[in-house]
Structure formats: structure tokens, C-alpha cells
Amino acid sequence: MDTGLKGRGVIVTASSQGMGRATAELFAREGAQVAMCARNEGPLKVAADEIRRNTGAEIYAEALDVTDNAAVQRFVDNVAKRFGRIDVCVANAAGPPAKGFLSIQTDEWRKAFEMNFMSVVYLSKAVIPHMQRHRWGRIIAITSVSVRQPIADLVMSNSIRAGVVGLIKSLSNEFGKDGILVNNVAPGYTATERLKELSSVRAQAAGTTVEAIHEQWAADAPLKRLGEPGEIADAIVWLASERASYITGQTLLVDGGIYHGL
């Protein structure tokens, strides 16, 4: 299937591991030029070198804090100079910690809002003018099934990521005329470092093991297993492709059916 992504300039944030890394590699395999970023330079460099070696694609990697608006703008400018264009931006960021509501400090709410909401604002504002010039663009946020079905112990994620859905819908309405599609991918329980963090909190509270928590989550999903980062990447690359050219303003659940609503 021709995705139409060959030669496209792609940004994937938080791409040193997990879903972000899998997404960056899949775009590279489709022939795109891929810009990767993450807060920690060491793991980012390792991931970029591996993807470059595995795919032969042009990879640009730069350490970045996506909560720093000025740094985001500089990064996007650097990518545009390097690739000559920016066509796709995948906005990914670490999720807020798993905590009960009364134990969360006010400053933690601010940090979570900056990380998971404002980072999408900063990235979108920086990349949209580049996309407008070519009248073609894709902005895809990675959130969580929590935007449809709140998850226990993740009150910050449940609250803030729902706001991202409102932002995505608003941007899709405003910039559809410019050929820019804006969507959201909402993963379910996926085998990443983030899931290990959440399962550790759950296991400690329940007096059980991380493995038992994973088995419980798998049993709750109709597919009876956890998701894999590559499966989330498949959905993201499809949404960015020409095969999804009439889809915008949507939230695509990639959750093994664990969301129980209609």
C-alpha cells in the first residue's frame, strides 16, 4: 500500500522509546525524513542511530523539553532548515504520574498541564505555518483511552488529555481549509515503560505483583492481551498517510476493545 509518505518531513516527539520510537521507525521505513526528540540525549541518540542503521532514512535528533515554548520553536525551525519542509507532527509526551487526587500538589497539576496540553499547543503553533505553505499537513496527538473512559489513579491524565481532544477538534475545524488534518490516537494498555509505572503503583496498592496486574488488564480487553508499541505506530502512520485523507478531528482508539462505550 502506497502511503504517500516518502520524502515527507516528519516530527515525532518523545521518540527515544516506546510508542514514539516505534512511530519514528515506521515513518522512516515509509521513506520519510524523521526528526526525533526527547528530554534525555543519551537514549535519544541510541534510538536515532538504530533507526538510521535499520532503515537508511535521514534522521535528525535533538534533545528537547516540549514544555519550553522557545525551545520547541527553535527545534521546529531547525527541522525545517534540515528537511526543507514539515508535513507531519506527532505530539507525544510522558504521562502524568499515577496518584490519588488528594495526594497531588498544585505544582504537579501545572507540570502535567504543561507537559500534556501546552506541549501540543506549542508544537501545533510552530508547525502549522510550514504546513500551510504546502497546503498539506498532519498533526496527530497521542493521548490515552482515558479520554473516553477514566482510569483509576490517573486523575491528571483523565482531566488534561480530555482537553487535548477539544484542542484537536478545534484545530481540525480551523485549519481543514489549509489541507491540514488533525487527529488523536488514544492507546489502551500498551507494553511500555509508562505501563510499568502504572502497574507498579497498582500492584503495591493491591499487595500483588506487576505480572498479575498485567494479566488482569489483558483479561479485561476483548483481545485478551496488551497492545504493542508497533500497533500504535501502525495507526499513527495510517492516519498520516494519503489513505486517511478524509479523516480529521477524530479520536482513534487503539485499545484492544477495552473501552466499553458505544
Side-chain angles (χ1 to χ4, degrees):
M1 181 181 74
D2 182 12
T3 59
L5 293 170
K6 186 175 182 179
R8 297 286 187 189
V10 177
I11 290 173
V12 185
T13 64
S15 47
S16 62
Q17 62 181 2
M19 290 179 278
R21 187 196 185 287
T23 300
E25 180 157 357
L26 189 54
F27 274 114
R29 292 189 182 281
E30 291 296 326
Q33 299 170 295
V34 181
M36 302 171 60
C37 66
R39 284 176 293 181
N40 297 321
E41 187 173 15
L44 175 65
K45 185 179 184 302
V46 170
D49 287 345
E50 288 178 353
I51 293 173
R52 194 179 291 115
R53 184 168 56 249
N54 292 341
T55 67
E58 182 178 358
I59 305 295
Y60 173 73
E62 182 181 323
L64 176 69
D65 178 357
V66 292
T67 68
D68 184 335
N69 187 22
V72 168
Q73 186 63 62
R74 285 193 300 271
F75 172 71
V76 170
D77 290 343
N78 290 341
V79 174
K81 290 175 184 175
R82 179 75 174 261
F83 295 164
R85 59 188 298 143
I86 297 174
D87 301 292
V88 179
C89 180
V90 180
N92 182 35
K99 301 182 77 171
F101 177 71
L102 293 179
S103 67
I104 301 171
Q105 303 300 311
T106 301
D107 189 54
E108 291 179 289
W109 278 101
R110 292 194 185 99
K111 288 179 180 177
F113 184 73
E114 285 285 333
M115 179 66 74
N116 296 117
F117 185 89
M118 291 307 299
S119 64
V120 184
V121 172
Y122 299 151
L123 285 161
S124 298
K125 196 166 185 179
V127 302
I128 284 173
H130 295 281
M131 296 174 177
Q132 286 176 315
R133 279 194 281 275
H134 296 282
R135 298 195 60 77
W136 198 100
R138 307 285 192 266
I139 298 172
I140 301 166
I142 304 179
T143 59
S144 164
V145 69
S146 67
V147 302
R148 291 287 182 265
Q149 183 167 279
I151 298 172
D153 303 318
L154 290 182
V155 61
M156 287 189 285
S157 181
N158 297 339
S159 305
I160 294 166
R161 292 194 191 279
V164 175
V165 175
L167 173 64
I168 292 302
K169 189 67 174 178
S170 299
L171 294 179
S172 72
N173 291 341
E174 185 171 351
F175 296 103
K177 67 183 186 304
D178 298 318
I180 301 171
L181 310 183
V182 190
N183 290 292
N184 169 46
V185 168
Y189 293 108
T190 308
T192 63
E193 292 301 314
R194 165 70 168 168
L195 195 72
K196 290 179 183 178
E197 174 196 337
L198 178 57
S199 58
S200 295
V201 172
R202 290 280 185 88
Q204 185 174 8
T208 185
T209 65
V210 167
E211 291 73 20
I213 297 297
H214 287 184
E215 289 172 5
Q216 177 186 330
W217 285 335
D220 289 343
L223 296 187
K224 304 304 177 187
R225 64 178 179 84
L226 301 179
E228 294 295 331
E231 293 175 306
I232 311 305
D234 283 331
I236 292 166
V237 170
W238 174 72
L239 273 177
S241 78
E242 293 287 7
R243 293 293 174 262
S245 58
Y246 202 57
I247 299 174
T248 194
Q250 302 304 308
T251 292
L252 176 61
L253 298 178
V254 188
D255 67 345
I258 205 165
Y259 170 58
H260 299 305
L262 297 177

